[in-house]
Amino acid sequence: MTDKPTVSDWQALADKESKGRDLTKDMPEGFQVKPLYTAEDSSDPGLPGFAPFTRGVKATMYAGRPWTIRQYAGFSTAEESNAFYRRNLEAGQKGLSVAFDLATHRGYDSDHPRVVGDVGKAGVAIDTVEDMQILFDQIPLDTMSVSMTMNGAVIPVLAFYIVAGEEQGVSPEQLSGTIQNDILKEFMVRNTYIYPPAPSMRIISDIIGYTSANMPKFNSISISGYHMHEAGATAVQELAFTIADGKEYVKSAMETGLDIDAFAGRLSFFFGIGMNFFMEIAKLRAARTLWYKVMDDLGAKSERSKMLRTHCQTSGVSLQEQDPYNNVIRTTVEAMAATLGGTQSLHTNALDEAIALPTDFSARIARNTQLVLQEETGITNVVDPLGGSYYIEALTAKLVEEAEVLMAEVDTLGGMTIAVDSGMPKQRIEEAAAAKQTRIDKAEDVIVGVNKYRLAEEEQIETLEVDNHKVRTGQIARLKKNRESRDEAACQAALKALTEGAKSDGNMLALAVDAARQRATLGEISSAMEEVFGRYDTTPKPVTGIYKSAYEFDKRWAQVLEGVDAVERRLGRKPKIMVAKMGQDGHDRGANVIASAFTDMGFEVISGPLFQTPDETLKMALEHEVDAIGASSLAAGHKTLIPELIDLLKGAGRADIKVVAGGVIPPQDYDFLREAGVQGIYGPGSNVVECGADMLRLLGHNMPPAGDETSDAD
């Protein structure tokens, strides 16, 4: 009988086969992954259903009950969204996840002048209790679990939901579901905030207090790493900052006198799932381990308080405009990672979400992806089927270790509220996002159909378009009817009581429920609190130096730098570009990546504040005497806001200022934008260095084409 091979034997054979090449891989998380893991690399994670819940919060997991299939959706009017929900429920969806439009997120009624291009885009417009009633028409709220992605205007939205339930005959005690209510991550990455951090934290505590007393089936907060993931965070950053956010919320609620075990069992989490398959599986296991430790340290006694229960969503940022049917494959891989990691519910993105809102066709494929995984693969037959994998267990332990280091840094700063206020988490995530983009642009991270195996010609796919003008006109009419039919004196008294409660220690959700019963609108309820707290604003401060170091020896990068120098010599100053975020879309990853890269190229970059109107963008562009404006669009407002900006530039006699557009823009809209005067359009997957080269061409410099390594300096 021969001796059993040892790790040394394997290493010798591997060295021979690889001709001595190092097979370890550097991870964006800051550590290396080896080509082989053995029992010596792993440790016993325990059993499912038992502390620290690494292998799952339930002993039976999917063998007892599969994860909940959710579909995050909402668009246009409450009527159209309701019809979409009912079609999906009939086709096998088990829970609702509501997407609100950006006007609603930011606390504006649809008739507000700042939201002309946002109403009904990227979500459903909700201005009144009646809108909420229509949204859930023929959907029984006593049995349907409803998840609502809402943070800024969380008080009026939750109040409308409670009152809509009451008027459907469903008491608050019967309502089940989740409100996101996670404001700290808004200040880090997503930016759909309304009030400053301190009063926003008080709002969260008020909601936890109200729901603990009145809504025992309802999750008062969903602590979200998803938007950090989408903004470019590494797995370690997403873990550390999300768990640290949760810790901050628990401490804040405890400081109001709430017993930790009275509310902690109703907290939930929300993670993004990307394409690093095993890393994402390990991330969910590490999250459960970390949360158990945090809650144990905070003094929780109930085991339920220490269980991390999570919803997951497949990545949006991994989806591509190019060769979009590849997105079905990406979403399937990510969905498998989420389920093998032990998520409690899941939303799968549709193949066209890098281009436009999902169609019924694409949403059906996304939903059926989950049905196939549940019904055809056998994944649900075994509890934690990857338990015992040396690689998975080692990755889990490493993620826990690295996340705890970053969490300790947050604690040293004084907790997440102070850390967020300092800008540290946002800067770290932006650095990771810029580094990721450089790896994609250099094809070090392969994206099939984008930077490798690119199609010679792209085939357009059918997309869904919302008539923003029609939706807004309908919402304005409904608002007018609401205001004319209500008891105005009772409504104003309820709003005044809310303002006074915000000044003192009144529970703002309870007071907002009273105002909703009197038919106060979402904008009015938000304004009643804004009188006390003010409205929070910020201007992005992109990181620099990431691209410069990554492209130090790249010939194409050198050509762009030479081009910028040539334009500077001609103008007598650096070429100036303004990066503008118009409308209420706060997703600024793309804008920040462009600002970072163009700064490193030598452009003078003016980053406009978030939420500008076209008129405000014009004034800033004229004030800074820019040569070009890059308008970043993610929320489908491009057909309204960008043409308006171009018309304003013409009216100011500055049609010479170039306007380019980037973001999620359907190819079908390209001709419309070009006819409006847009001179460059850059969708997802665009190479940032080539964007810089194209901008130089627009500014009159004769740039060599990509792949031509000659230059004026040769």
Side-chain angles (χ1 to χ4, degrees):
M1 183 176 180
T2 58
D3 292 336
K4 183 178 180 181
T6 66
V7 174
S8 297
D9 294 328
W10 173 85
Q11 188 66 61
L13 183 58
D15 287 342
K16 179 180 177 182
E17 291 177 356
S18 65
K19 295 182 173 58
R21 286 185 298 112
D22 185 3
L23 298 178
T24 58
K25 303 292 184 184
D26 292 320
M27 293 289 108
E29 287 67 27
F31 54 83
Q32 291 184 321
V33 168
K34 303 185 300 182
L36 178 70
Y37 285 82
T38 69
E40 294 180 359
D41 297 299
S42 65
S43 56
D44 182 8
L47 291 170
F50 293 91
F53 306 109
T54 306
R55 299 188 64 187
V57 294
K58 297 282 188 181
T60 55
M61 288 300 289
Y62 307 149
R65 188 179 75 176
W67 65 90
T68 300
I69 298 173
R70 291 189 180 276
Q71 200 76 11
Y72 177 58
F75 55 89
S76 185
T77 62
E79 289 91 342
E80 289 196 41
S81 293
N82 171 262
F84 185 78
Y85 293 160
R86 287 193 282 116
R87 289 197 300 272
N88 287 358
L89 291 170
E90 289 169 5
Q93 184 178 314
K94 300 299 182 185
L96 293 179
S97 292
V98 182
F100 298 94
D101 74 356
L102 290 164
T104 304
H105 273 288
R106 294 269 293 144
Y108 293 117
D109 286 332
S110 295
D111 57 359
H112 197 284
R114 297 196 73 87
V115 299
V116 172
D118 297 298
V119 177
K121 295 282 195 177
V124 61
I126 297 293
D127 294 315
T128 63
V129 169
E130 278 70 26
D131 286 340
M132 192 70 80
Q133 288 175 327
I134 294 167
L135 188 66
F136 295 115
D137 181 42
Q138 299 179 59
I139 297 173
L141 294 180
D142 56 341
T143 58
M144 180 59 61
S145 173
V146 176
S147 173
M148 293 181 285
T149 300
M150 177 52 62
N151 302 282
V154 62
I155 288 285
V157 164
L158 188 50
F160 288 172
Y161 176 66
I162 291 167
V163 173
E166 287 177 349
E167 296 182 3
Q168 199 186 83
V170 180
S171 68
E173 291 82 5
Q174 295 173 284
L175 296 173
S176 65
T178 303
I179 189 86
Q180 193 164 95
N181 192 28
D182 175 8
I183 203 63
L184 286 175
K185 69 98 172 49
E186 297 294 331
F187 293 110
M188 277 189 270
V189 289
R190 190 164 176 255
N191 301 314
T192 54
Y193 41 68
I194 300 175
Y195 315 108
S200 296
M201 289 296 290
R202 181 190 154 192
I203 285 171
I204 287 170
S205 295
D206 280 4
I207 290 172
I208 291 174
Y210 183 95
T211 54
S212 296
N214 301 288
M215 303 171 72
K217 294 182 178 180
F218 200 80
N219 299 323
S220 55
I221 189 168
S222 175
I223 303 145
S224 175
Y226 180 83
H227 300 96
M228 300 179 207
H229 173 96
E230 294 295 274
T234 66
V236 168
Q237 290 170 340
E238 183 182 357
L239 274 172
F241 294 144
T242 304
I243 299 298
D245 278 352
K247 179 179 179 180
E248 191 85 342
Y249 295 139
V250 170
K251 289 172 67 177
S252 178
M254 291 171 69
E255 286 168 4
T256 68
L258 286 172
D259 174 52
I260 187 171
D261 287 317
F263 67 86
R266 299 308 307 175
L267 305 182
S268 67
F269 285 78
F270 176 27
F271 287 101
I273 304 296
M275 285 297 289
N276 193 341
F277 186 71
F278 294 104
M279 188 72 74
E280 297 297 342
I281 295 168
K283 183 176 74 180
L284 297 184
R285 300 166 72 91
R288 290 191 289 268
T289 307
L290 287 163
W291 187 240
Y292 178 86
K293 291 183 176 184
V294 165
M295 295 301 284
D296 198 50
D297 288 345
L298 289 175
K301 298 294 188 291
S302 167
E303 291 294 274
R304 179 173 172 77
S305 298
K306 304 175 191 179
M307 294 177 182
L308 182 143
R309 295 164 300 110
T310 189
H311 170 69
C312 288
Q313 181 172 340
T314 59
S315 177
V317 76
S318 73
L319 304 183
Q320 304 299 324
E321 175 186 295
Q322 296 83 0
D323 207 357
Y325 289 104
N326 289 338
N327 293 335
V328 177
I329 304 162
R330 294 185 179 105
T331 294
T332 303
V333 170
E334 291 166 352
M336 287 182 66
T339 58
L340 291 171
T343 189
Q344 275 63 64
S345 68
L346 178 63
H347 165 79
T348 33
N349 287 331
L351 68 96
D352 48 2
E353 289 188 41
I355 304 169
L357 292 168
T359 62
D360 275 7
F361 171 78
S362 65
R364 179 173 177 268
I365 293 173
R367 182 177 59 255
N368 285 354
T369 299
Q370 294 195 56
L371 291 172
V372 169
L373 290 180
Q374 281 193 359
E375 304 287 351
E376 297 186 27
T377 64
I379 284 176
T380 60
N381 293 344
V382 177
V383 179
D384 189 25
L386 289 186
S389 160
Y390 302 143
Y391 180 35
I392 289 291
E393 307 299 1
L395 265 185
T396 301
K398 188 63 176 176
L399 286 173
V400 169
E401 176 189 340
E402 295 293 330
E404 286 182 330
V405 171
L406 189 49
M407 290 168 65
E409 188 177 346
V410 169
D411 286 340
T412 300
L413 290 173
M416 269 310 270
T417 303
I418 295 172
V420 166
D421 195 49
S422 76
M424 182 273 276
K426 186 176 181 68
Q427 181 178 356
R428 298 283 178 85
I429 292 170
E430 287 181 7
E431 288 170 352
K436 172 72 173 176
Q437 189 62 45
T438 62
R439 294 195 302 273
I440 292 172
D441 287 348
K442 296 171 74 175
E444 293 172 353
D445 287 2
V446 173
I447 310 293
V448 173
V450 177
N451 60 13
K452 197 172 183 180
Y453 313 113
R454 183 76 182 259
L455 289 173
E457 186 176 338
E458 296 284 346
E459 179 184 345
Q460 288 192 7
I461 62 173
E462 180 185 348
T463 58
L464 176 68
E465 182 173 358
V466 171
D467 186 338
N468 163 243
H469 177 74
K470 179 180 177 182
V471 175
R472 187 166 186 262
T473 299
Q475 289 299 120
I476 291 172
R478 190 175 289 162
L479 278 163
K480 183 174 183 291
K481 181 179 179 181
N482 175 83
R483 291 176 180 133
E484 289 173 349
S485 61
R486 70 190 182 189
D487 183 332
E488 191 63 27
C491 179
Q492 294 304 321
L495 289 169
K496 183 178 180 181
L498 175 56
T499 299
E500 293 304 314
K503 290 178 182 176
S504 57
D505 60 354
N507 186 290
M508 287 179 282
L509 178 54
L511 293 165
V513 169
D514 291 339
R517 291 186 183 118
Q518 300 302 327
R519 284 343 193 229
T521 69
L522 176 132
E524 290 167 341
I525 292 172
S526 297
S527 294
M529 294 182 287
E530 189 178 338
E531 282 185 39
V532 181
F533 303 140
R535 184 172 277 268
Y536 186 80
D537 291 305
T538 187
T539 299
K541 296 180 176 63
V543 299
T544 58
I546 303 292
Y547 281 86
K548 186 176 181 180
S549 60
Y551 281 94
E552 186 176 3
F553 304 108
D554 184 85
K555 290 184 173 61
R556 186 58 169 169
W557 177 262
Q559 288 178 342
V560 172
L561 296 186
E562 290 167 4
V564 173
D565 288 343
V567 173
E568 182 176 357
R569 288 192 298 272
R570 176 163 54 83
L571 297 176
R573 57 167 174 78
K574 290 185 175 184
K576 290 184 185 179
I577 179 171
M578 177 180 175
V579 179
K581 286 291 295 182
M582 295 183 291
Q584 299 304 306
D585 171 28
H587 293 86
D588 59 355
R589 172 182 178 163
N592 289 337
V593 163
I594 290 295
S596 298
F598 273 60
T599 299
D600 285 357
M601 291 174 198
F603 289 84
E604 182 178 342
V605 177
I606 313 299
S607 289
L610 299 175
F611 316 123
Q612 282 189 320
T613 63
D615 187 62
E616 289 166 344
T617 299
L618 169 75
K619 290 176 182 175
M620 191 170 184
L622 297 179
E623 177 188 342
H624 289 274
E625 299 181 330
V626 303
D627 302 300
I629 301 171
S632 174
S633 174
L634 188 72
H638 53 274
K639 291 180 72 173
T640 303
L641 300 171
I642 297 176
E644 183 179 341
L645 172 64
I646 292 171
D647 288 343
L648 289 170
L649 286 167
K650 291 176 181 175
R654 292 305 310 272
D656 59 301
I657 295 176
K658 317 296 183 186
V659 176
V660 300
V664 178
I665 300 173
Q668 290 91 322
D669 292 349
Y670 284 13
D671 287 344
F672 171 89
L673 292 175
R674 289 185 181 115
E675 289 171 9
V678 174
Q679 298 190 41
I681 304 171
Y682 312 100
S686 297
N687 183 291
V688 175
V689 181
E690 290 306 321
C691 291
D694 203 42
M695 180 58 67
L696 290 171
R697 292 189 198 97
L698 291 176
L699 297 179
H701 181 68
N702 186 24
M703 276 295 297
D708 184 349
E709 295 181 357
T710 62
S711 73
D712 296 338
D714 286 339

